[in-house]
Amino acid sequence: FASAEDALAGLHPGEVDLIVTDFDLPGLDGAELITAARARGHRCPAVVVSGEIAEHHAARLHAVDDLDVLSKPFELPAMVQIMARCKRR
């Protein structure tokens, strides 16, 4: 999707197993995207990827249920581990 708003328009609850997004997006940021998706009925796990997250943004991310945060750069096994945990949920 080109934007968080496009993602919200194109995602349908029950059709998505995992949402992976960057934190720094134009318009809505990654935390706002996940919060809006939850408000629309999405209950799947989510991953926010970011190079650097300010402390005040980190507090917002920790308030979102069923969310993992990956710091860039990350190794593929870190994402695989998160995906395996999501599969067990």
Side-chain angles (χ1 to χ4, degrees):
F1 298 100
S3 69
E5 292 80 5
D6 288 347
L8 286 172
L11 297 175
H12 305 288
E15 295 180 1
V16 178
D17 295 321
L18 174 66
I19 297 173
V20 178
T21 183
D22 199 298
F23 179 78
D24 190 20
L25 303 169
L28 297 176
D29 66 32
E32 293 166 329
L33 169 61
I34 302 305
T35 299
R38 298 278 191 264
R40 293 175 182 210
H42 292 279
R43 299 293 170 245
C44 62
V47 179
V48 171
V49 179
S50 184
E52 186 175 320
I53 299 176
E55 191 173 317
H56 64 281
H57 292 311
R60 288 183 30 236
L61 288 169
H62 289 297
V64 179
D65 291 333
D66 209 5
L67 175 72
D68 287 289
V69 178
L70 268 179
S71 296
K72 294 180 201 174
F74 63 88
E75 299 291 328
L76 184 59
M79 179 61 82
V80 171
Q81 185 178 32
I82 288 172
M83 293 170 68
R85 279 198 318 264
C86 293
K87 191 174 181 179
R88 291 189 299 261
R89 292 179 184 159

